[in-house]
Amino acid sequence: QQRRPLATLEMGEGDTGIRPSIHPMTINAIAKALNIRGQNQPNIPLRLTDDMDPMDIMMASGKIAQEAIQTQQKASQKDGVMMTDEEQQVAVGRIITVIR
């Protein structure tokens, strides 16, 4: 499936030409991470402690962001409006920044 950026999105029947927002996906990923942090799961390091390497937190938050992007892309295949590389980078940056 070819991605259709907004600038070249063709208007079809029932199509508004408006790209879906990345905010709901970003918020859901952050909420998931905060929920995991609240549970203090040892296999998913999202809480900074004296014995925790900050890089481990970044890697765990990156994994959550990557899963959110993959889920969004699978859902987007149905409507043909895939996230662009730039949208993916913005969403991942926001997710990792908030989680860390």
Side-chain angles (χ1 to χ4, degrees):
Q1 182 94 15
Q2 185 177 3
R3 286 183 278 183
R4 299 184 301 167
L6 181 59
T8 61
L9 188 63
E10 295 177 11
M11 298 293 285
E13 186 174 325
D15 193 353
T16 62
I18 300 172
R19 293 189 59 77
S21 174
I22 63 171
H23 298 308
M25 184 262 324
T26 304
I27 292 167
N28 288 340
I30 292 168
K32 176 182 177 180
L34 293 177
N35 188 11
I36 292 169
R37 181 184 285 172
Q39 295 172 8
N40 203 20
Q41 296 181 12
N43 60 334
I44 306 175
L46 291 175
R47 186 182 300 268
L48 186 60
T49 61
D50 291 337
D51 60 339
M52 180 60 58
D53 184 5
M55 186 58 79
D56 291 336
I57 296 171
M58 295 295 285
M59 295 297 290
S61 60
K63 183 177 179 181
I64 290 170
Q66 182 180 25
E67 290 171 358
I69 294 292
Q70 289 172 348
T71 301
Q72 181 65 33
Q73 290 294 66
K74 285 179 186 176
S76 295
Q77 286 178 342
K78 294 177 184 172
D79 62 19
V81 185
M82 304 288 285
M83 292 176 69
T84 64
D85 291 340
E86 292 82 10
E87 289 171 327
Q88 292 179 45
Q89 291 171 7
V90 167
V92 168
R94 289 176 181 171
I95 293 166
I96 290 174
T97 300
V98 171
I99 293 173
R100 69 174 179 92

